[in-house]
Structure formats: structure tokens, C-alpha cells
Amino acid sequence: QQQVKQSPQSLIVQKGGIPIINCAYENTAFDYFPWYQQFPGKGPALLIAIRPDVSEKKEGRFTISFNKSAKQFSLHIMDSQPGDSATYFCAADRSSSGSARQLTFGSGTQLTVLP
Amino acid sequence: NAGVTQTPKFQVLKTGQSMTLQCAQDMNHEYMSWYRQDPGMGLRLIHYSVGAGITDQGEVPNGYNVSRSTTEDFPLRLLSAAPSQTSVYFCASSWRPGQGIYTEAFFGQGTRLTVV
């Protein structure tokens, strides 16, 4: 059972467009929602993260929108550039046993920004 | 400061062979974890550790063992490799989370494993 559902699987936009990637979760125990960016041959790297008591967070050209009641969140990339072409993963973080925390990832979106 | 270092980068195993994937971090992070990445499935947690001597299972632990004898190292052992373990494996580390603060997971560059 996939706890974090991500769509679309792939996305192609023109340079300057605004790609939007959507995620939905079921477990209300999640208390942080990060997005990771992965380039080919590299490990994922943190892009931006949001807490569920915040409806929007911006960092540069990247914006997370969060809808707690709908249990959905999305990533918007403003003025997208070819260098943004990568795989994007949404994730959800929660406490587990003891002091541990567990990060659950969505299935990923492969973004291609055409020049 | 190398961050998280994984070795080897590529490996081909025959069914039934065993091997150890190495992971080392030089950031003095308490938390370390192993994920596998498969097409269309994102990253799934195999095992994790909250400190030296403490490990626990994640979502897909079967067929894998871990140990954490030092803060720096967190090796992943495949006991008897199976084709279903063909995947890209990522090690990650992070600080112990503070109250109300998300602590970033730093990932290594991955090990691409093929079991034939």
C-alpha cells in the first residue's frame, strides 16, 4: 500500500512554463513534507520542506502548496529552466519507534524542461 | 568533507552470492538509513539506525542485514542475493531531529546492483 501517491509520472514543459507535481497522503501522523530532487546518477537532494500548519512555502522559484484538509500537497516550479530537468520525489516524514523518524517517498516524477 | 560515501558504485552478483554494500558519512550524523530505488516505486526504506549499536527494520527488510558499530559506518549485507534484489541502493544520513525542525537526509550517490 503506497502511503504517498504522486502524479504525474512524467512531465514535459517548455522553458518558462510552470510544471506542477501533485502528491496525496493518507496517514495523518505525517508531520513534515519534503521534496527531493534527483539528477541522473546522483542521490536525491532536499529541495524544500513544509510543515502541515503552513499552507504555502516559497524558496526561490520553488513553491510548495499544502492542503491539510484534503491531505494533498504540490510543488510548483516558476519560470522553469532546462537545468530543472530531473526526477522529483515528494515525501512525508513521521515519528516511529522511540526517537526514530521514517521518511516515506512518493513514486517520483520525471520532469523534462525543453529549451 | 565528503558527505555520504557509498561503495561500490556498480556490482553484478550471481543468485545466491552474498555481499556487503558499504556506507560511510563524515558529518557525525546519528541517523543512517538504507533505501532501494526501483522504477515507479520511489525509494523504499530497508533498514535504519538511530545511533551506534541500534538498528531497526524499515518497509522492505527481508533478505538484508545491517549493523552499526560506529557512528560513521552503516554497511548493508545481502545474505543470499536474488534477482528481486536488483535495484539501486541509497544510503542516507541526518542529524537527530530537533523539536519542530525537519532534518535533511543527505544521500550518497548510490550503488547499482544487478543479480543474475
Side-chain angles (χ1 to χ4, degrees):
Chain A
Q1 181 187 4
Q2 194 170 19
Q3 292 194 52
V4 180
K5 296 183 179 180
Q6 183 172 347
S7 63
Q9 187 173 356
S10 63
L11 190 54
I12 301 174
V13 299
Q14 295 286 340
K15 177 183 174 182
I18 306 176
I20 301 172
I21 304 170
N22 299 300
C23 288
Y25 65 98
E26 297 171 359
N27 190 341
T28 55
F30 292 132
D31 55 9
Y32 268 104
F33 299 87
W35 285 85
Y36 281 80
Q37 179 188 54
Q38 183 182 32
F39 292 104
K42 304 292 185 182
L46 180 67
L47 193 59
I48 186 173
I50 195 169
R51 290 170 44 172
D53 56 350
V54 175
S55 61
E56 185 177 276
K57 183 174 182 180
K58 292 182 180 180
E59 285 190 5
R61 295 183 294 107
F62 299 91
T63 300
I64 301 178
S65 298
F66 192 88
N67 186 329
K68 187 174 181 178
S69 61
K71 292 189 281 188
Q72 295 176 347
F73 58 111
S74 60
L75 176 71
H76 301 231
I77 306 176
M78 305 302 176
D79 187 27
S80 59
Q81 302 296 313
D84 296 329
S85 298
T87 300
Y88 292 81
F89 292 96
C90 62
D93 196 42
R94 64 176 175 89
S95 297
S96 64
S97 60
S99 61
R101 294 189 64 86
Q102 285 200 14
L103 196 57
T104 302
F105 284 87
S107 55
T109 297
Q110 188 167 354
L111 172 66
T112 302
V113 181
L114 301 175
Chain B
N1 193 346
V4 179
T5 302
Q6 290 184 236
T7 55
K9 286 187 170 52
F10 301 94
Q11 183 71 48
V12 178
L13 286 180
K14 293 183 178 179
T15 298
Q17 286 185 318
S18 63
M19 80 160 293
T20 300
L21 279 62
Q22 301 291 343
C23 176
Q25 52 93 8
D26 61 359
M27 298 173 281
N28 204 30
H29 286 166
E30 291 177 281
Y31 280 40
M32 295 187 75
S33 51
W34 277 100
Y35 294 85
R36 59 177 290 173
Q37 183 177 16
D38 301 293
M41 302 193 72
L43 290 93
R44 291 180 292 167
L45 182 65
I46 303 172
H47 285 285
Y48 64 95
S49 168
V50 300
I54 307 170
T55 63
D56 206 346
Q57 296 181 353
E59 180 185 354
V60 288
N62 293 340
Y64 307 94
N65 272 0
V66 292
S67 60
R68 182 102 178 265
S69 56
T70 67
T71 300
E72 294 79 20
D73 300 299
F74 190 43
L76 178 72
R77 282 182 287 276
L78 280 71
L79 307 174
S80 177
S84 61
Q85 294 178 304
T86 294
S87 186
V88 181
Y89 291 85
F90 287 98
C91 178
S93 73
S94 63
W95 294 108
R96 178 187 293 272
Q99 189 68 25
I101 300 172
Y102 177 68
T103 52
E104 175 182 358
F106 291 85
F107 286 82
Q109 294 208 344
T111 295
R112 184 175 293 274
L113 175 68
T114 302
V115 182
V116 298

Short mmCIF file of all heavy atoms in Angstrom, two decimals, chain A residues 27-81:
data_model
loop_
_atom_site.label_atom_id
_atom_site.label_comp_id
_atom_site.label_asym_id
_atom_site.label_seq_id
_atom_site.Cartn_x
_atom_site.Cartn_y
_atom_site.Cartn_z
N ASN A 27 -1.87 8.94 5.86
CA ASN A 27 -1.55 8.83 7.28
C ASN A 27 -1.44 10.21 7.93
O ASN A 27 -0.56 11.00 7.60
CB ASN A 27 -0.23 8.06 7.44
CG ASN A 27 0.06 7.68 8.87
OD1 ASN A 27 -0.51 8.24 9.80
ND2 ASN A 27 0.95 6.72 9.05
N THR A 28 -2.32 10.53 8.85
CA THR A 28 -2.30 11.85 9.49
C THR A 28 -1.17 12.00 10.49
O THR A 28 -0.97 13.07 11.07
CB THR A 28 -3.65 12.13 10.18
OG1 THR A 28 -3.92 11.08 11.10
CG2 THR A 28 -4.77 12.22 9.17
N ALA A 29 -0.40 10.94 10.71
CA ALA A 29 0.77 11.03 11.60
C ALA A 29 1.95 11.73 10.93
O ALA A 29 2.89 12.14 11.61
CB ALA A 29 1.19 9.64 12.06
N PHE A 30 1.91 11.87 9.62
CA PHE A 30 2.98 12.58 8.93
C PHE A 30 3.01 14.04 9.42
O PHE A 30 1.97 14.69 9.49
CB PHE A 30 2.80 12.55 7.42
CG PHE A 30 2.97 11.19 6.81
CD1 PHE A 30 2.05 10.70 5.90
CD2 PHE A 30 4.08 10.40 7.11
CE1 PHE A 30 2.20 9.45 5.32
CE2 PHE A 30 4.25 9.16 6.53
CZ PHE A 30 3.31 8.68 5.63
N ASP A 31 4.22 14.55 9.70
CA ASP A 31 4.28 15.92 10.19
C ASP A 31 5.30 16.80 9.49
O ASP A 31 5.52 17.94 9.89
CB ASP A 31 4.50 15.94 11.70
CG ASP A 31 5.73 15.16 12.13
OD1 ASP A 31 6.51 14.75 11.25
OD2 ASP A 31 5.90 14.95 13.33
N TYR A 32 5.94 16.27 8.46
CA TYR A 32 6.78 17.10 7.59
C TYR A 32 6.66 16.56 6.18
O TYR A 32 6.53 15.35 5.99
CB TYR A 32 8.25 17.08 8.02
CG TYR A 32 8.60 18.20 8.96
CD1 TYR A 32 8.77 17.95 10.32
CD2 TYR A 32 8.74 19.50 8.50
CE1 TYR A 32 9.07 18.97 11.19
CE2 TYR A 32 9.04 20.53 9.37
CZ TYR A 32 9.20 20.26 10.71
OH TYR A 32 9.50 21.27 11.58
N PHE A 33 6.71 17.47 5.21
CA PHE A 33 6.52 17.07 3.83
C PHE A 33 7.62 17.70 2.98
O PHE A 33 7.50 18.82 2.50
CB PHE A 33 5.12 17.48 3.35
CG PHE A 33 4.03 16.82 4.15
CD1 PHE A 33 3.57 17.40 5.32
CD2 PHE A 33 3.50 15.61 3.75
CE1 PHE A 33 2.58 16.78 6.08
CE2 PHE A 33 2.52 14.98 4.49
CZ PHE A 33 2.06 15.56 5.66
N PRO A 34 8.72 16.97 2.79
CA PRO A 34 9.82 17.49 1.98
C PRO A 34 9.70 17.07 0.52
O PRO A 34 9.02 16.11 0.18
CB PRO A 34 11.06 16.83 2.62
CG PRO A 34 10.55 15.54 3.14
CD PRO A 34 9.09 15.75 3.51
N TRP A 35 10.38 17.82 -0.32
CA TRP A 35 10.54 17.44 -1.72
C TRP A 35 12.03 17.25 -1.98
O TRP A 35 12.85 18.07 -1.57
CB TRP A 35 10.00 18.53 -2.65
CG TRP A 35 8.50 18.58 -2.70
CD1 TRP A 35 7.67 19.23 -1.84
CD2 TRP A 35 7.66 17.94 -3.66
NE1 TRP A 35 6.36 19.05 -2.20
CE2 TRP A 35 6.33 18.27 -3.32
CE3 TRP A 35 7.89 17.16 -4.79
CZ2 TRP A 35 5.24 17.81 -4.06
CZ3 TRP A 35 6.81 16.71 -5.53
CH2 TRP A 35 5.50 17.04 -5.16
N TYR A 36 12.35 16.16 -2.70
CA TYR A 36 13.72 15.88 -3.07
C TYR A 36 13.85 15.91 -4.59
O TYR A 36 12.96 15.50 -5.32
CB TYR A 36 14.16 14.52 -2.52
CG TYR A 36 14.53 14.56 -1.05
CD1 TYR A 36 13.53 14.54 -0.06
CD2 TYR A 36 15.85 14.64 -0.65
CE1 TYR A 36 13.87 14.60 1.28
CE2 TYR A 36 16.19 14.69 0.70
CZ TYR A 36 15.20 14.68 1.64
OH TYR A 36 15.53 14.73 2.97
N GLN A 37 15.02 16.37 -5.03
CA GLN A 37 15.34 16.46 -6.46
C GLN A 37 16.49 15.51 -6.75
O GLN A 37 17.47 15.46 -6.00
CB GLN A 37 15.75 17.91 -6.78
CG GLN A 37 16.15 18.18 -8.22
CD GLN A 37 16.73 19.59 -8.35
OE1 GLN A 37 17.65 19.97 -7.65
NE2 GLN A 37 16.16 20.39 -9.25
N GLN A 38 16.38 14.75 -7.82
CA GLN A 38 17.42 13.79 -8.15
C GLN A 38 17.82 13.92 -9.61
O GLN A 38 16.99 13.79 -10.51
CB GLN A 38 16.95 12.36 -7.88
CG GLN A 38 18.02 11.30 -8.12
CD GLN A 38 17.51 9.89 -7.87
OE1 GLN A 38 16.34 9.60 -8.08
NE2 GLN A 38 18.39 9.02 -7.43
N PHE A 39 19.11 14.15 -9.83
CA PHE A 39 19.66 14.17 -11.18
C PHE A 39 20.20 12.78 -11.52
O PHE A 39 20.57 12.01 -10.61
CB PHE A 39 20.76 15.22 -11.29
CG PHE A 39 20.24 16.64 -11.18
CD1 PHE A 39 20.41 17.36 -10.01
CD2 PHE A 39 19.55 17.22 -12.23
CE1 PHE A 39 19.93 18.64 -9.89
CE2 PHE A 39 19.06 18.51 -12.12
CZ PHE A 39 19.24 19.22 -10.94
N PRO A 40 20.26 12.44 -12.82
CA PRO A 40 20.72 11.09 -13.20
C PRO A 40 22.08 10.76 -12.61
O PRO A 40 23.02 11.57 -12.64
CB PRO A 40 20.79 11.18 -14.73
CG PRO A 40 19.78 12.22 -15.09
CD PRO A 40 19.83 13.23 -13.99
N GLY A 41 22.19 9.57 -12.03
CA GLY A 41 23.45 9.10 -11.48
C GLY A 41 23.79 9.68 -10.11
O GLY A 41 24.88 9.42 -9.59
N LYS A 42 22.88 10.46 -9.55
CA LYS A 42 23.12 11.08 -8.25
C LYS A 42 22.09 10.63 -7.23
O LYS A 42 21.03 10.10 -7.59
CB LYS A 42 23.06 12.62 -8.37
CG LYS A 42 24.00 13.21 -9.40
CD LYS A 42 25.44 13.05 -8.97
CE LYS A 42 26.36 13.75 -9.94
NZ LYS A 42 27.81 13.56 -9.56
N GLY A 43 22.38 10.87 -5.97
CA GLY A 43 21.40 10.62 -4.94
C GLY A 43 20.44 11.79 -4.84
O GLY A 43 20.74 12.90 -5.28
N PRO A 44 19.25 11.57 -4.26
CA PRO A 44 18.30 12.67 -4.06
C PRO A 44 18.89 13.73 -3.15
O PRO A 44 19.70 13.44 -2.26
CB PRO A 44 17.10 11.98 -3.40
CG PRO A 44 17.27 10.53 -3.70
CD PRO A 44 18.74 10.28 -3.77
N ALA A 45 18.46 14.98 -3.35
CA ALA A 45 18.90 16.09 -2.51
C ALA A 45 17.68 16.92 -2.14
O ALA A 45 16.79 17.13 -2.96
CB ALA A 45 19.92 16.95 -3.24
N LEU A 46 17.64 17.37 -0.89
CA LEU A 46 16.50 18.14 -0.41
C LEU A 46 16.34 19.44 -1.19
O LEU A 46 17.29 20.19 -1.38
CB LEU A 46 16.67 18.45 1.08
CG LEU A 46 15.53 19.27 1.71
CD1 LEU A 46 14.25 18.45 1.73
CD2 LEU A 46 15.91 19.70 3.12
N LEU A 47 15.10 19.69 -1.61
CA LEU A 47 14.78 20.91 -2.35
C LEU A 47 14.09 21.92 -1.44
O LEU A 47 14.49 23.06 -1.31
CB LEU A 47 13.88 20.54 -3.52
CG LEU A 47 13.63 21.54 -4.63
CD1 LEU A 47 14.92 21.94 -5.29
CD2 LEU A 47 12.66 20.93 -5.65
N ILE A 48 13.04 21.47 -0.78
CA ILE A 48 12.22 22.34 0.05
C ILE A 48 11.34 21.45 0.92
O ILE A 48 11.01 20.34 0.53
CB ILE A 48 11.38 23.30 -0.84
CG1 ILE A 48 10.61 24.33 -0.03
CG2 ILE A 48 10.44 22.51 -1.75
CD1 ILE A 48 9.90 25.38 -0.89
N ALA A 49 10.97 21.93 2.11
CA ALA A 49 10.12 21.14 3.01
C ALA A 49 9.09 22.05 3.66
O ALA A 49 9.35 23.25 3.85
CB ALA A 49 10.95 20.42 4.06
N ILE A 50 7.94 21.47 4.03
CA ILE A 50 6.87 22.25 4.63
C ILE A 50 6.25 21.49 5.78
O ILE A 50 6.21 20.25 5.78
CB ILE A 50 5.80 22.61 3.57
CG1 ILE A 50 4.87 23.73 4.07
CG2 ILE A 50 4.99 21.38 3.15
CD1 ILE A 50 3.97 24.30 2.97
N ARG A 51 5.78 22.22 6.78
CA ARG A 51 5.03 21.63 7.88
C ARG A 51 3.53 21.73 7.58
O ARG A 51 3.12 22.63 6.85
CB ARG A 51 5.34 22.37 9.18
CG ARG A 51 6.72 22.13 9.71
CD ARG A 51 7.08 23.05 10.82
NE ARG A 51 6.01 23.22 11.81
CZ ARG A 51 6.16 23.85 12.94
NH1 ARG A 51 7.33 24.37 13.26
NH2 ARG A 51 5.16 23.99 13.78
N PRO A 52 2.70 20.86 8.14
CA PRO A 52 1.28 20.86 7.79
C PRO A 52 0.50 22.05 8.35
O PRO A 52 -0.66 22.23 7.97
CB PRO A 52 0.78 19.54 8.40
CG PRO A 52 1.74 19.20 9.46
CD PRO A 52 3.07 19.73 9.01
N ASP A 53 1.10 22.87 9.22
CA ASP A 53 0.39 24.04 9.72
C ASP A 53 0.66 25.28 8.86
O ASP A 53 0.23 26.39 9.20
CB ASP A 53 0.76 24.32 11.17
CG ASP A 53 2.25 24.49 11.38
OD1 ASP A 53 3.02 24.19 10.44
OD2 ASP A 53 2.66 24.89 12.48
N VAL A 54 1.34 25.08 7.73
CA VAL A 54 1.65 26.16 6.80
C VAL A 54 1.01 25.82 5.46
O VAL A 54 1.09 24.68 5.00
CB VAL A 54 3.17 26.31 6.63
CG1 VAL A 54 3.51 27.35 5.58
CG2 VAL A 54 3.82 26.66 7.96
N SER A 55 0.35 26.77 4.81
CA SER A 55 -0.35 26.47 3.56
C SER A 55 0.52 26.66 2.32
O SER A 55 0.23 26.11 1.27
CB SER A 55 -1.60 27.34 3.43
OG SER A 55 -1.24 28.71 3.42
N GLU A 56 1.59 27.46 2.45
CA GLU A 56 2.45 27.69 1.30
C GLU A 56 3.85 28.05 1.77
O GLU A 56 4.03 28.75 2.75
CB GLU A 56 1.88 28.82 0.43
CG GLU A 56 2.64 29.06 -0.86
CD GLU A 56 2.00 30.13 -1.72
OE1 GLU A 56 1.07 29.80 -2.47
OE2 GLU A 56 2.43 31.29 -1.63
N LYS A 57 4.85 27.57 1.01
CA LYS A 57 6.23 27.93 1.31
C LYS A 57 6.97 28.13 -0.01
O LYS A 57 6.83 27.30 -0.91
CB LYS A 57 6.91 26.86 2.14
CG LYS A 57 8.35 27.22 2.53
CD LYS A 57 8.93 26.20 3.48
CE LYS A 57 10.34 26.60 3.90
NZ LYS A 57 10.94 25.60 4.82
N LYS A 58 7.70 29.24 -0.10
CA LYS A 58 8.45 29.53 -1.31
C LYS A 58 9.94 29.59 -1.00
O LYS A 58 10.37 30.15 0.00
CB LYS A 58 8.03 30.90 -1.88
CG LYS A 58 6.64 30.95 -2.44
CD LYS A 58 6.34 32.33 -3.03
CE LYS A 58 4.94 32.41 -3.60
NZ LYS A 58 4.63 33.73 -4.19
N GLU A 59 10.72 28.99 -1.91
CA GLU A 59 12.17 29.14 -1.85
C GLU A 59 12.65 29.34 -3.28
O GLU A 59 12.67 28.39 -4.07
CB GLU A 59 12.84 27.93 -1.20
CG GLU A 59 12.66 27.90 0.30
CD GLU A 59 13.51 26.84 0.98
OE1 GLU A 59 14.32 26.18 0.31
OE2 GLU A 59 13.34 26.66 2.20
N GLY A 60 12.99 30.58 -3.60
CA GLY A 60 13.39 30.88 -4.96
C GLY A 60 12.25 30.64 -5.93
O GLY A 60 11.14 31.14 -5.74
N ARG A 61 12.49 29.82 -6.95
CA ARG A 61 11.46 29.52 -7.94
C ARG A 61 10.57 28.34 -7.55
O ARG A 61 9.66 27.98 -8.28
CB ARG A 61 12.13 29.24 -9.30
CG ARG A 61 12.86 30.45 -9.88
CD ARG A 61 13.46 30.16 -11.25
NE ARG A 61 14.53 29.17 -11.20
CZ ARG A 61 14.42 27.92 -11.63
NH1 ARG A 61 13.27 27.49 -12.14
NH2 ARG A 61 15.44 27.10 -11.58
N PHE A 62 10.83 27.74 -6.41
CA PHE A 62 10.09 26.56 -5.99
C PHE A 62 9.09 26.91 -4.90
O PHE A 62 9.43 27.58 -3.94
CB PHE A 62 11.06 25.48 -5.48
CG PHE A 62 12.05 25.03 -6.52
CD1 PHE A 62 13.29 25.65 -6.64
CD2 PHE A 62 11.74 24.00 -7.40
CE1 PHE A 62 14.19 25.25 -7.61
CE2 PHE A 62 12.64 23.59 -8.36
CZ PHE A 62 13.87 24.22 -8.47
N THR A 63 7.85 26.45 -5.07
CA THR A 63 6.77 26.72 -4.12
C THR A 63 6.05 25.42 -3.78
O THR A 63 5.71 24.64 -4.68
CB THR A 63 5.76 27.72 -4.69
OG1 THR A 63 6.41 28.96 -4.98
CG2 THR A 63 4.63 27.98 -3.70
N ILE A 64 5.85 25.19 -2.48
CA ILE A 64 5.00 24.09 -2.04
C ILE A 64 3.67 24.68 -1.62
O ILE A 64 3.62 25.65 -0.84
CB ILE A 64 5.59 23.32 -0.84
CG1 ILE A 64 6.95 22.74 -1.14
CG2 ILE A 64 4.64 22.20 -0.45
CD1 ILE A 64 7.56 22.02 0.07
N SER A 65 2.58 24.10 -2.10
CA SER A 65 1.23 24.42 -1.62
C SER A 65 0.73 23.23 -0.83
O SER A 65 0.89 22.08 -1.27
CB SER A 65 0.30 24.71 -2.80
OG SER A 65 0.75 25.83 -3.52
N PHE A 66 0.13 23.48 0.33
CA PHE A 66 -0.29 22.39 1.21
C PHE A 66 -1.75 22.56 1.59
O PHE A 66 -2.16 23.63 2.02
CB PHE A 66 0.60 22.36 2.45
CG PHE A 66 0.44 21.12 3.27
CD1 PHE A 66 1.20 20.01 2.99
CD2 PHE A 66 -0.50 21.04 4.29
CE1 PHE A 66 1.05 18.84 3.73
CE2 PHE A 66 -0.65 19.89 5.03
CZ PHE A 66 0.12 18.79 4.75
N ASN A 67 -2.53 21.49 1.42
CA ASN A 67 -3.95 21.49 1.80
C ASN A 67 -4.16 20.38 2.82
O ASN A 67 -4.30 19.21 2.46
CB ASN A 67 -4.82 21.27 0.57
CG ASN A 67 -6.30 21.40 0.88
OD1 ASN A 67 -6.76 21.09 1.98
ND2 ASN A 67 -7.06 21.83 -0.10
N LYS A 68 -4.16 20.78 4.10
CA LYS A 68 -4.21 19.78 5.16
C LYS A 68 -5.54 19.02 5.16
O LYS A 68 -5.57 17.80 5.37
CB LYS A 68 -4.01 20.46 6.52
CG LYS A 68 -3.88 19.50 7.69
CD LYS A 68 -3.54 20.24 8.96
CE LYS A 68 -3.39 19.29 10.13
NZ LYS A 68 -3.01 19.99 11.37
N SER A 69 -6.64 19.71 4.93
CA SER A 69 -7.95 19.04 4.99
C SER A 69 -8.09 18.00 3.88
O SER A 69 -8.70 16.95 4.06
CB SER A 69 -9.08 20.07 4.91
OG SER A 69 -9.01 20.79 3.69
N ALA A 70 -7.52 18.29 2.72
CA ALA A 70 -7.59 17.35 1.60
C ALA A 70 -6.45 16.34 1.63
O ALA A 70 -6.43 15.40 0.84
CB ALA A 70 -7.56 18.11 0.28
N LYS A 71 -5.50 16.54 2.52
CA LYS A 71 -4.31 15.70 2.62
C LYS A 71 -3.59 15.64 1.27
O LYS A 71 -3.26 14.55 0.75
CB LYS A 71 -4.66 14.30 3.14
CG LYS A 71 -5.11 14.34 4.61
CD LYS A 71 -5.26 12.97 5.23
CE LYS A 71 -6.56 12.35 4.83
NZ LYS A 71 -6.86 11.09 5.54
N GLN A 72 -3.36 16.83 0.72
CA GLN A 72 -2.68 16.93 -0.57
C GLN A 72 -1.65 18.06 -0.51
O GLN A 72 -1.84 19.04 0.21
CB GLN A 72 -3.68 17.22 -1.68
CG GLN A 72 -4.68 16.09 -1.92
CD GLN A 72 -5.72 16.45 -2.96
OE1 GLN A 72 -5.87 17.62 -3.34
NE2 GLN A 72 -6.45 15.46 -3.43
N PHE A 73 -0.59 17.90 -1.27
CA PHE A 73 0.40 18.97 -1.40
C PHE A 73 1.02 18.90 -2.79
O PHE A 73 0.99 17.86 -3.44
CB PHE A 73 1.46 18.93 -0.29
CG PHE A 73 2.24 17.64 -0.19
CD1 PHE A 73 3.57 17.60 -0.52
CD2 PHE A 73 1.65 16.47 0.30
CE1 PHE A 73 4.31 16.44 -0.41
CE2 PHE A 73 2.38 15.29 0.41
CZ PHE A 73 3.72 15.28 0.06
N SER A 74 1.53 20.03 -3.23
CA SER A 74 2.04 20.10 -4.59
C SER A 74 3.27 20.99 -4.66
O SER A 74 3.48 21.86 -3.82
CB SER A 74 0.96 20.60 -5.54
OG SER A 74 0.54 21.89 -5.15
N LEU A 75 4.07 20.73 -5.69
CA LEU A 75 5.27 21.52 -5.97
C LEU A 75 5.05 22.27 -7.28
O LEU A 75 4.65 21.67 -8.28
CB LEU A 75 6.49 20.60 -6.08
CG LEU A 75 7.81 21.28 -6.47
CD1 LEU A 75 8.32 22.13 -5.30
CD2 LEU A 75 8.86 20.24 -6.87
N HIS A 76 5.31 23.57 -7.24
CA HIS A 76 5.24 24.41 -8.45
C HIS A 76 6.65 24.94 -8.71
O HIS A 76 7.32 25.40 -7.77
CB HIS A 76 4.31 25.60 -8.24
CG HIS A 76 2.91 25.23 -7.90
ND1 HIS A 76 1.81 25.74 -8.56
CD2 HIS A 76 2.40 24.40 -6.96
CE1 HIS A 76 0.71 25.25 -8.04
NE2 HIS A 76 1.03 24.43 -7.06
N ILE A 77 7.06 24.90 -9.97
CA ILE A 77 8.36 25.45 -10.33
C ILE A 77 8.13 26.62 -11.27
O ILE A 77 7.69 26.44 -12.42
CB ILE A 77 9.26 24.39 -11.01
CG1 ILE A 77 9.38 23.16 -10.11
CG2 ILE A 77 10.65 24.98 -11.29
CD1 ILE A 77 10.17 22.01 -10.75
N MET A 78 8.39 27.81 -10.79
CA MET A 78 8.17 29.02 -11.59
C MET A 78 9.31 29.21 -12.58
O MET A 78 10.46 28.85 -12.30
CB MET A 78 8.08 30.24 -10.67
CG MET A 78 7.04 30.14 -9.59
SD MET A 78 5.40 29.89 -10.26
CE MET A 78 4.46 29.70 -8.76
N ASP A 79 8.97 29.76 -13.76
CA ASP A 79 9.98 30.07 -14.77
C ASP A 79 10.95 28.89 -14.93
O ASP A 79 12.17 29.03 -14.75
CB ASP A 79 10.73 31.34 -14.39
CG ASP A 79 11.68 31.83 -15.46
OD1 ASP A 79 11.42 31.53 -16.65
OD2 ASP A 79 12.70 32.46 -15.12
N SER A 80 10.44 27.72 -15.23
CA SER A 80 11.28 26.52 -15.28
C SER A 80 12.38 26.65 -16.34
O SER A 80 12.19 27.29 -17.39
CB SER A 80 10.42 25.29 -15.55
OG SER A 80 9.72 25.42 -16.76
N GLN A 81 13.51 26.03 -16.04
CA GLN A 81 14.69 26.07 -16.88
C GLN A 81 15.13 24.66 -17.25
O GLN A 81 14.83 23.71 -16.51
CB GLN A 81 15.83 26.78 -16.14
CG GLN A 81 15.51 28.20 -15.70
CD GLN A 81 15.27 29.13 -16.88
OE1 GLN A 81 16.06 29.13 -17.83
NE2 GLN A 81 14.20 29.89 -16.82
#
